[in-house]
Amino acid sequence: MDESFARELEDIRWFQSCGQPLPQSLPFPVAQVSGWSQALSLCSDQAWEDVTLEARNRLTEFLHTRHRDAYQQWNHIAAAAKSRIDAPVCDLIWRPFAEQQGLGKAFTDAVSWDVLAAVMEHAYRDCSGRPTFFLQLLQVYRAGHFPCGWSGDWPDGMLLVW
């Protein structure tokens, strides 16, 4: 696990700008949703799950096809990421925030999925041409917002953000 990247993730101002205007510098065309209720509904919708699953599958397919030796480290990298980032940040930040906002497990599961996938994309940064959907989503989290859905047929369309 890249320790400097782990510290960057810990330092994100998670969800502090939700409800505020979206920055112009996000890596996707975006539309803002109306609140936590809509964001939670969207993040647990099958359409968003399909988009994020397809994005993760593109990474694994890319690695399997072009960087098979590096791909063999996937389980080791994922276990380290869960231990170093996912569990501690979830316990300290995401879960308490979800409880405070009444968001529940669907919310923490969605954030965890996105962040772990971003860690995986980052871990394979030396594999030229790899997909980087989740690292781009991470820019939304860094801006203090919550990416929660997709409008249109991915990869066309726009990211839905709270």
Side-chain angles (χ1 to χ4, degrees):
M1 176 82 210
D2 177 346
E3 193 56 33
S4 66
F5 187 67
R7 284 191 300 275
E8 285 179 33
L9 294 174
E10 291 171 334
D11 290 342
I12 289 176
R13 298 175 52 146
W14 297 98
F15 322 116
Q16 290 188 2
S17 298
C18 292
Q20 297 177 16
L22 299 172
Q24 298 297 317
S25 61
L26 295 177
F28 300 101
V30 297
Q32 190 164 20
V33 302
S34 62
W36 278 116
S37 178
Q38 185 181 16
L40 185 60
S41 176
L42 286 165
C43 83
S44 56
D45 184 79
Q46 189 62 50
W48 179 236
E49 290 180 20
D50 290 347
V51 166
T52 60
L53 181 60
E54 176 63 25
R56 186 173 285 191
N57 287 346
R58 284 186 180 188
L59 176 62
T60 59
E61 180 181 341
F62 170 83
L63 293 170
H64 178 74
T65 303
R66 298 187 186 173
H67 299 276
R68 195 172 290 234
D69 289 342
Y71 183 50
Q72 298 302 314
Q73 296 300 311
W74 181 278
N75 290 340
H76 173 73
I77 295 166
K82 287 177 184 177
S83 172
R84 173 61 182 89
I85 290 298
D86 186 56
V89 176
C90 187
D91 289 345
L92 293 172
I93 299 171
W94 306 334
R95 190 172 295 113
F97 182 84
E99 290 171 1
Q100 179 186 30
Q101 298 293 323
L103 301 175
K105 190 172 180 336
F107 170 79
T108 56
D109 287 349
V111 176
S112 177
W113 174 266
D114 294 346
V115 172
L116 285 173
V119 169
M120 299 310 286
E121 289 176 355
H122 177 78
Y124 289 100
R125 63 194 173 278
D126 292 337
C127 298
S128 179
R130 82 200 182 294
T132 58
F133 176 79
F134 293 98
L135 285 171
Q136 292 174 333
L137 275 189
L138 198 57
Q139 292 180 44
V140 176
Y141 285 110
R142 283 184 173 124
H145 292 276
F146 175 57
C148 55
W150 194 266
S151 176
D153 292 325
W154 186 78
D156 298 320
M158 68 177 54
L159 181 67
L160 302 175
V161 176
W162 175 235

